[in-house]
Amino acid sequence: MAKTIVVRTGTPAKQPRGAKSEAVVGAKARAIAKSEPVAVKNKAGKTRNPLAPERVAAILDALRKTYPGVVCALNHRGAWELTVATILSAQCTDVRVNLVTPALFKAFPTPKAMAAASLPELEELIRTTGFFRNKAKSIQGAARVVVEKFGGKVPQTMEEILTLPGVARKTGNVVLGSWFNIAVGVVVDTHVMRLSRRLELAGTTPGSTAPEKVERDLMKIIPQDRWIAFSHELIHHGRQICVARKPKCVDCTLERLCNSGDKT
């Protein structure tokens, strides 16, 4: 991954529990869609010049209008809670993680407490998130590294945060962006992957679908001061509107900009 300039967009976000970003739908969504230019297509599923700066800018404009004040979907009260929640979210819905974490953090509220917990205790508390044995080892291992190497505080650089067990670039980008407001990359989860392909922004050709490659490609076309919000917006859009099997194109503010072959 090429070295990037760190952008701090403000002080750490004190996110309230239960914060949610509802999509603009119905007449308001259609009005936003009509205000954006039409992306001309060469044929079904193929946009003419999909990475044109004006098209990318229009996509970003529509997403910003659809999710004003967008926030991370994982409930958290600090960097440590967000780190754990993101580890637990692997192959699990954010809704399920948000149901599990209150009891987990009540029992083990600090990295020090979680580092001292027994694995069976952790496994029982996170069982419903799936792959609970591996996840229990990861969050306990991360807790121990945070305590022993970083004085009980989650580090604020990608290089350091990647030393935590269970933490890869996705988790690092979530924590650095959502809590510390440090933009060093773009979060690439299943929603971002799917929507990037549908919008023909990244991951559309053989050899370009690995998360790391999709992230690099998105970083080239999305302004760095939009990386954090863009990730949240795509994730919420993929969950609420541009769903996997039957996208709700009638309520999509990107409808005129999208030429995906599976539009409804």
Side-chain angles (χ1 to χ4, degrees):
M1 185 69 63
K3 184 178 180 181
T4 59
I5 299 172
V6 173
V7 172
R8 294 180 182 270
T9 58
T11 56
K14 306 302 182 184
Q15 170 146 342
R17 285 193 172 273
K20 194 174 182 180
S21 299
E22 291 290 354
V24 171
V25 296
K28 290 183 178 179
R30 290 189 286 275
I32 293 172
K34 288 180 181 179
S35 72
E36 303 297 345
V38 174
V40 180
K41 61 183 178 182
N42 290 328
K43 58 181 180 179
K46 295 292 183 181
T47 300
R48 185 183 302 170
N49 197 7
L51 302 183
E54 57 270 23
R55 179 176 184 262
V56 175
I59 289 172
L60 293 175
D61 179 66
L63 286 171
R64 178 181 56 80
K65 292 174 180 175
T66 308
Y67 303 96
V70 68
V71 295
C72 179
L74 291 167
N75 294 338
H76 59 281
R77 297 171 298 185
W80 171 244
E81 288 193 359
L82 183 54
T83 301
V84 173
T86 309
I87 292 173
L88 296 180
S89 71
Q91 296 180 282
C92 179
T93 66
D94 292 343
V95 173
R96 169 55 54 186
V97 173
N98 288 339
L99 291 173
V100 165
T101 49
L104 175 65
F105 295 133
K106 182 178 180 180
F108 306 106
T110 64
K112 185 176 180 180
M114 198 167 290
S118 71
L119 282 177
E121 288 178 301
L122 293 176
E123 289 171 357
E124 187 58 33
L125 286 166
I126 66 172
R127 181 178 294 272
T128 59
T129 67
F131 303 96
F132 61 91
R133 290 190 176 88
N134 286 337
K135 289 180 180 180
K137 292 177 182 177
S138 291
I139 61 176
Q140 184 179 69
R144 289 174 175 169
V145 173
V146 166
V147 171
E148 296 168 5
K149 188 174 179 180
F150 299 109
K153 303 291 185 181
V154 175
Q156 297 186 40
T157 69
M158 181 63 78
E159 182 180 17
E160 290 176 320
I161 204 169
L162 289 178
T163 65
L164 306 184
V167 172
R169 279 197 64 90
K170 172 196 165 184
T171 299
N173 280 322
V174 169
V175 176
L176 294 174
S178 296
W179 186 257
F180 296 113
N181 288 323
I182 300 174
V184 295
V186 176
V187 175
V188 177
D189 73 345
T190 56
H191 298 295
V192 174
M193 287 279 288
R194 184 176 74 254
L195 270 63
S196 294
R197 288 196 297 269
R198 278 181 171 165
L199 292 170
E200 302 170 83
L201 297 178
T204 59
T205 58
S208 69
T209 59
E212 297 83 0
K213 181 66 167 67
V214 170
E215 182 184 4
R216 286 196 296 271
D217 289 345
L218 291 175
M219 289 165 67
K220 293 175 183 176
I221 62 172
I222 307 298
Q224 191 169 5
D225 62 0
R226 287 285 278 119
W227 288 352
I228 298 171
F230 172 75
S231 299
H232 293 323
E233 290 159 356
L234 273 198
I235 290 168
H236 283 291
H237 202 62
R239 182 177 293 112
Q240 300 178 50
I241 304 297
C242 195
V243 294
R245 294 188 178 181
K246 193 175 182 182
K248 303 172 185 178
C249 297
V250 69
D251 279 330
C252 183
T253 53
L254 304 176
E255 196 277 324
R256 286 158 58 100
L257 294 160
C258 175
N259 291 314
S260 176
D262 60 352
K263 287 178 67 174
T264 58

